Structure formats: structure tokens, C-alpha cells
Amino acid sequence: MALKGALSMGRLSNSMVSRQALQKPRAFISRRGQSFSSTGTVLASMPPAGGPQPSPAGIPETRGKHDLVGQLLAAKEASGKTFTQISKEIGLTNAFTAQLFYNQAQLKSGREEVLRKACPALTDELVAAMKRAPMRGFDPSILKEPHIYRMTEAVTHYGESIKAIMNEELGDGIMSAIDMYATIDVIKGKAGENRLVISLNGKFLPHVEQVSEDNTAKSPK
């Protein structure tokens, strides 16, 4: 009986250990140097050696852009001007001007001089960086910011109605976010309150009917 009981306890003990081993999160290291558990929880973050590392596609990691944007915004703050004030001096919309400083738009050749005049703290290196084609994108965590969350909510809430009116007026298609002008204006309401006007003036792009004869990249088969 004693031997049988000991064997039973041994099997129970081994079974408990096996279950604990299965339940215990296993750690692994991601490509970006973060340590995750098998459940996806970040355990630690280790900075990559030698600074920002390129992705497999050769695209710099976001840290480099984060640092660049910090320097651009510091230069803008040093000017003591708002984005709208700078935009009027350089002849661009205020939204596009802000995009330049957030490295979400490219500074075109021929506009460097007026930009440097409007924002003297911009160095040659920063202007050169602004002239490179940027890696556009955003940190998903900004969607938690109250204003950005509400703007997202407004677009999605009105989305079907906006699309329906667009289809009625223009047909089947979409509004371009590339051939687009974005402006932000402040006006006064009837009671004297401040009101925000956000304008997105985008080119309408109709969906094409894919006629075989018009296909200039036909299959070799």
C-alpha cells in the first residue's frame, strides 16, 4: 500500500509539474530587441547595438524619425511662430506645413530659402532631411489621444453618409488623400464661441471598368 501510494503521489507530482511547465510563459527575443512572453506580454526592451537598425526592407526604425521630428519641432518653437504663421510665409497650407515638421510630407526643391527665413533654426542637415521622401505613418497609440480619437470617431460615424452623398454626386470612386489640400481654420459661432473648421479638398478618383483591351500590362499567357 505504501509503495502504491508513493507511486501515485509521484505520478500526481509529475503531472502537476507538467501542467505548470505548459502554463508558464516562455520568453523569446523579437527582432527589435524586445523580450516577450509566449502570451505576448512585453517583458523588457533592449536597445539595439549601434543605434537604430534597418528593417529587412532597409527602412530605418522609427527611433530615427522620432529624433528628427523632435529636432524639427524644436527649431519651429525657436522661431516663436505657429504653423499657420509659418505656412503664410512659405505659401503652403497650414496642415501641410505641420506635416513637414512631423516628417509626414516632403519639402520640395525651391522652397528651402523661404522656409529657412521663416524658421532660422533649421540647419542644413535638417533641411536636407526634410527634402528626402519620408516614411509616412503613425504610432497607433496616438489613437488614444482624446482629440484624435474623436476625429476618428467623427469620420467613421459619418462615413457611410459621406460616401452615399459622394456616390450620388460623383459616382463610384474615392477621394484622393495624395492630391488633397488640408486646412484648419478657427471661426466664431453665433454665441461667440470658437469653432474648428477642418477642410479636406481631395480629387475624386473614379473606379475604372477593367476593359481587357485597355490593359497595357497583359498577362504573357
Side-chain angles (χ1 to χ4, degrees):
M1 286 293 292
L3 179 59
K4 184 177 180 180
L7 291 173
S8 298
M9 288 296 292
R11 286 194 294 270
L12 178 60
S13 177
N14 289 335
S15 176
M16 292 175 65
V17 170
S18 299
R19 285 198 299 271
Q20 290 173 354
L22 289 173
Q23 294 170 358
K24 183 178 180 180
R26 297 186 299 276
F28 64 91
I29 306 299
S30 74
R31 176 179 60 80
R32 297 192 180 190
Q34 286 182 313
S35 176
F36 291 87
S37 72
S38 59
T39 60
T41 303
V42 178
L43 301 177
S45 182
M46 297 179 294
Q53 299 296 306
S55 69
I59 299 170
E61 296 287 2
T62 56
R63 185 64 198 175
K65 178 169 181 172
H66 180 273
D67 292 341
L68 172 61
V69 171
Q71 295 177 60
L72 293 175
L73 292 177
K76 179 259 184 185
E77 289 299 313
S79 73
K81 301 172 183 177
T82 65
F83 287 123
T84 297
Q85 290 171 331
I86 295 174
S87 72
K88 291 178 179 178
E89 293 185 36
I90 66 178
L92 300 173
T93 67
N94 55 3
F96 189 85
T97 299
Q99 289 288 77
L100 289 174
F101 284 87
Y102 280 96
N103 195 223
Q104 292 284 73
Q106 182 186 39
L107 178 67
K108 304 301 183 181
S109 295
R111 208 166 295 272
E112 308 95 318
E113 185 176 346
V114 290
L115 180 60
R116 290 287 293 271
K117 184 177 180 180
C119 193
L122 288 172
T123 64
D124 291 339
E125 292 76 11
L126 289 177
V127 171
M130 296 175 82
K131 292 180 66 177
R132 289 194 288 269
M135 177 54 63
R136 295 171 176 86
F138 66 93
D139 181 349
S141 65
I142 69 171
L143 297 177
K144 299 177 182 179
E145 198 283 325
H147 173 74
I148 296 174
Y149 173 83
R150 184 47 55 87
M151 291 299 95
T152 305
E153 182 183 45
V155 171
T156 52
H157 181 73
Y158 280 89
E160 289 184 280
S161 298
I162 293 172
K163 180 183 183 302
I165 295 171
M166 177 189 70
N167 292 156
E168 288 178 346
E169 301 289 337
L170 298 171
D172 184 25
I174 64 171
M175 186 186 81
S176 173
I178 297 175
D179 190 343
M180 185 182 79
Y181 297 84
T183 57
I184 296 90
D185 295 289
V186 176
I187 63 172
K188 292 292 184 179
K190 288 185 176 181
E193 78 280 10
N194 287 325
R195 303 185 71 85
L196 190 67
V197 179
I198 301 173
S199 301
L200 301 177
N201 172 9
K203 180 181 179 180
F204 177 73
L205 302 175
H207 288 291
V208 301
E209 181 183 31
Q210 298 184 22
V211 179
S212 298
E213 294 180 357
D214 296 336
N215 184 6
T216 58
K218 295 182 179 180
S219 172
K221 296 182 180 180

